[in-house]
Amino acid sequence: QVQLVESGGGLVQPGGSLRLSCAASTSIVNFNFMGWYRQAPGKQRELVARMSIVDVANYADSVRGRFTISRDNAKNMVYLQMNSLKPEDTANYYCYADFNWSVFWGQGTQVTVSS
């Protein structure tokens, strides 16, 4: 069983930045993917960004060029640097890990972009 704990969410003004962190309870070296989903009220959960075991990153069209995902295998961490935030980025952000034919989720961290 893998436990994931997110941190770094909060309230930020449009155009601002936040950095989300996700700490895994075990080594992530062999995780096929780690990444971030988000879910806004009344909407489906959507993939924001993910990084593969060979450090290939994928992004949703809506965040490409503004968000950057990174992975630190030594610290068992994955990060999401979010720049130029927009009100439509407001959502609960969930860290996930794809490992050993299972998907594990964190509890989520709220990001609110508002003036």
Side-chain angles (χ1 to χ4, degrees):
Q1 187 74 9
V2 176
Q3 294 181 336
L4 303 172
V5 179
E6 303 98 332
S7 60
L11 173 64
V12 63
Q13 292 187 345
S17 298
L18 281 175
R19 187 193 194 208
L20 304 183
S21 300
C22 174
S25 60
T26 186
S27 173
I28 67 170
V29 170
N30 294 316
F31 285 14
N32 297 316
F33 290 95
M34 287 196 76
W36 298 88
Y37 275 73
R38 68 186 180 187
Q39 187 167 21
K43 294 188 177 181
Q44 289 188 331
R45 191 174 292 192
E46 62 174 354
L47 177 66
V48 176
R50 69 176 186 177
M51 180 166 277
S52 75
I53 193 172
V54 292
D55 289 345
V56 174
N58 301 111
Y59 297 94
D61 289 342
S62 59
V63 307
R64 188 175 293 111
R66 299 188 296 121
F67 290 11
T68 302
I69 188 171
S70 60
R71 177 172 171 163
D72 188 335
N73 288 341
K75 296 181 178 180
N76 300 328
M77 299 285 294
V78 67
Y79 306 97
L80 186 67
Q81 178 66 43
M82 305 186 295
N83 299 328
S84 302
L85 282 161
K86 304 175 180 180
E88 51 264 42
D89 295 318
T90 295
N92 207 0
Y93 284 69
Y94 297 90
C95 176
Y96 89 102
D98 181 334
F99 170 65
N100 203 25
W101 300 282
S102 296
V103 178
F104 302 92
W105 296 94
Q107 81 288 350
T109 185
Q110 179 67 35
V111 172
T112 302
V113 184
S114 175
S115 56

